[in-house]
């Protein structure tokens, strides 16, 4: 039986694996990392081609090796996976891929991790599956009747496929802000959100503000409530590359429509608009369905956490969930989980 199975090889999973090995867990014999992707890079390898390192300059370093210097023009879906791949190789991390975890069950002495390849038995679990595989699209009346194209940010590949169209962008997060800027250069855009956007114009977003934001998210998961994203707490930031779009009035926001028809949205006042494509920039949900047999959720819908450990079963740690669901907290969460599991499984080691 293994000591620890880490599910997912994104930033949080690699951080956890690095610290587990550093703290004495033998690669492959005591700890493995199961990754559903065929190549290194986590969710980064699936992001749209127009996302450059200039757009994601805030990506955090993995422990032990900083992010390589970048000119800014490199595609993030190539640059970051290359960084992750070299990191895995440099530290000999025990990543096994492609392996898709289907379900996790309790057994005597630990857990049974059932995958599409084989079954693993382990004393403890670090779940680092993130959110990319669970894009969220809210239901609105008439959504099934809309005859145009609907895509989520997870499906977006670039503005070139939307040239000359009427595009409705739904959602009030950072992705919506970025994609509106580039799509509006080739198409006519309309932006709708459930609440008026909250623009952050004060203190520069840095480590101190990041810690404050993480603390706010952590309050919710300690109470067993569904986590809010870190970005939802920080507010929206207008970056220099988006200023031209602001100047063109692209970020003039409309409230949510009442329903959809065959050719577009209709608002409560009867106003109707023709739309060719709807881009749902409506975020993601935690990818935790494989943990359902463990019954970790509270009646409130969230999973009560103590640090990275689930309160209902301290042998299960969630990294990349709640306060660590961003580059701000992922590395710290990996260390926290590894240290707790070292204490639990190797108290005299």
């Amino acid at each position: 039986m293994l000591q620890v199975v880490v599910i997912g090889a994104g930033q949080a999973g690699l951080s956890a694996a690095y610290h587990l090995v550093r703290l004495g867990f033998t690669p492959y014999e005591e700890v493995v990392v199961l990754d559903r992707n065929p190549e290194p890079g986590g969710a980064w390898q699936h992001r749209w081609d127009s996302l450059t390192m200039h757009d994601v300059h805030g990506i955090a370093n993995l422990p032990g090796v900083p992010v390589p210097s970048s000119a800014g023009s490199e595609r993030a879906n190539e640059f970051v996976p290359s960084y992750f791949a070299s990191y895995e190789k440099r530290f000999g991390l025990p990543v096994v891929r492609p392996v898709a975890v289907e379900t996790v069950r309790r057994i005597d002495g630990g857990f049974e991790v059932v995958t599409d390849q084989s079954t693993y038995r382990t004393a403890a679990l670090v779940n680092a599956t993130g959110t990319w595989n669970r894009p969220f699209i809210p239901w609105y009346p008439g959504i099934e009747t809309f005859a145009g194209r609907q895509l989520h940010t997870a499906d977006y590949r670039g503005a070139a496929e939307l040239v000359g169209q009427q595009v409705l962008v739904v959602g009030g997060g950072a992705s919506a802000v970025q994609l509106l800027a580039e799509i509006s250069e080739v198409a006519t855009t309309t932006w709708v959100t459930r609440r008026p956007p909250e623009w952050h114009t004060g203190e520069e977003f840095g480590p101190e503000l990041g810690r404050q934001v993480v603390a706010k998210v952590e309050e919710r998961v300690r109470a067993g409530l569904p986590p809010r994203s870190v970005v939802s707490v920080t507010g929206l930031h207008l970056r220099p590359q988006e200023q031209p779009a602001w100047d063109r009035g692209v970020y003039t926001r409309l409230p949510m429509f009442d329903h959809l028809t065959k050719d577009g949205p209709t608002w409560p006042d009867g106003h109707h608009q023709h739309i060719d494509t709807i881009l749902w920039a409506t975020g993601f949900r935690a990818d935790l369905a494989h943990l359902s047999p463990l019954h970790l959720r509270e009646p409130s819908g969230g999973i009560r956490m103590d640090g990275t450990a689930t309160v209902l079963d301290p042998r299960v740690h969630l990294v990349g969930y709640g306060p660590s669901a961003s580059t701000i907290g992922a590395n710290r969460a990996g260390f926290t989980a590894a240290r707790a599991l070292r204490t639990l499984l190797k108290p005299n080691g």
Side-chain angles (χ1 to χ4, degrees):
M1 176 183 284
L2 292 159
Q3 291 289 288
V4 185
V5 166
V6 179
I7 306 177
Q11 182 182 357
L14 292 182
S15 175
Y18 168 87
H19 288 296
L20 284 164
V21 172
R22 296 267 294 182
L23 290 174
F25 291 88
T26 306
Y28 296 106
E29 294 180 13
E30 294 184 308
V31 58
V32 297
V33 183
L34 306 180
D35 186 33
R36 68 183 302 160
N37 291 295
E39 303 290 340
W44 288 99
Q45 62 194 286
H46 304 301
R47 298 184 187 273
W48 50 95
D49 291 348
S50 58
L51 186 71
T52 68
M53 292 305 294
H54 177 58
D55 299 314
V56 298
H57 63 276
I59 177 175
N61 300 322
L62 287 164
V65 179
V67 179
S69 59
S70 165
S73 59
E74 300 93 341
R75 283 169 44 177
N77 60 11
E78 294 178 344
F79 190 93
V80 179
S82 176
Y83 169 47
F84 281 17
S86 64
Y87 186 84
E88 291 180 15
K89 183 177 181 180
R90 176 169 181 166
F91 293 108
L93 299 183
V95 182
V96 183
R97 62 166 60 91
V99 177
V101 174
E102 297 174 347
T103 191
V104 179
R105 299 188 289 254
R106 287 188 182 87
I107 57 172
D108 289 342
F111 304 92
E112 189 174 67
V113 181
V114 180
T115 79
D116 60 347
Q117 303 292 326
S118 59
T119 298
Y120 296 79
R121 292 181 172 231
T122 181
L125 190 74
V126 175
N127 192 84
T129 45
T131 62
W132 187 260
N133 291 308
R134 282 202 64 203
F136 173 70
I137 296 180
W139 182 86
Y140 283 93
I143 190 172
E144 68 284 350
T145 68
F146 178 65
R149 184 184 179 197
Q150 298 187 56
L151 68 159
H152 190 274
T153 48
D155 309 308
Y156 179 77
R157 291 297 173 265
E161 60 186 2
L162 302 172
V163 172
Q165 294 188 21
Q166 297 279 340
V167 180
L168 180 71
V169 177
V170 183
S175 293
V177 171
Q178 180 194 333
L179 297 183
L180 276 162
E182 63 182 65
I183 294 171
S184 65
E185 294 181 354
V186 300
T188 301
T189 58
T190 300
W191 186 28
V192 297
T193 67
R194 285 191 300 125
R195 292 182 296 272
E198 297 182 10
W199 297 98
H200 180 82
T201 57
E203 164 188 0
E204 183 73 18
F205 191 84
E208 180 57 34
L209 181 56
R211 283 189 288 270
Q212 294 173 19
V213 169
V214 167
K216 289 181 180 179
V217 179
E218 193 167 11
E219 287 177 8
R220 290 183 60 84
V221 297
R222 281 187 176 276
L225 298 171
R228 293 179 64 192
S229 69
V230 171
V231 171
S232 73
V233 182
T234 65
L236 295 173
H237 299 250
L238 191 70
R239 302 170 304 168
Q241 58 264 48
E242 291 146 4
Q243 187 63 48
W246 178 278
D247 296 340
R248 297 196 309 271
V250 169
Y251 299 114
T252 301
R253 164 261 181 193
L254 296 177
M256 282 304 301
F257 48 81
D258 178 72
H259 63 277
L260 288 165
T261 67
K262 183 177 180 179
D263 74 333
T266 299
W267 279 263
D269 63 2
H271 171 69
H272 179 77
Q273 187 170 340
H274 168 76
I275 290 294
D276 298 303
T277 297
I278 301 174
L279 175 60
W280 297 96
T282 43
F284 299 80
R285 297 292 183 264
D287 183 13
L288 301 175
H290 53 286
L291 301 182
S292 295
L294 303 183
H295 303 291
L296 298 173
R297 291 196 180 276
E298 301 286 333
S300 58
I303 298 176
R304 192 181 299 272
M305 305 290 296
D306 181 10
T308 59
T310 63
V311 170
L312 293 178
D313 195 332
R315 300 171 300 174
V316 179
H317 288 251
L318 306 184
V319 294
Y321 174 82
S324 61
S326 77
T327 58
I328 296 172
N331 285 350
R332 185 179 68 176
F335 175 67
T336 299
R339 183 176 57 183
L341 290 174
R342 165 68 182 270
T343 301
L344 179 68
L345 301 174
K346 293 176 176 282
N348 300 316

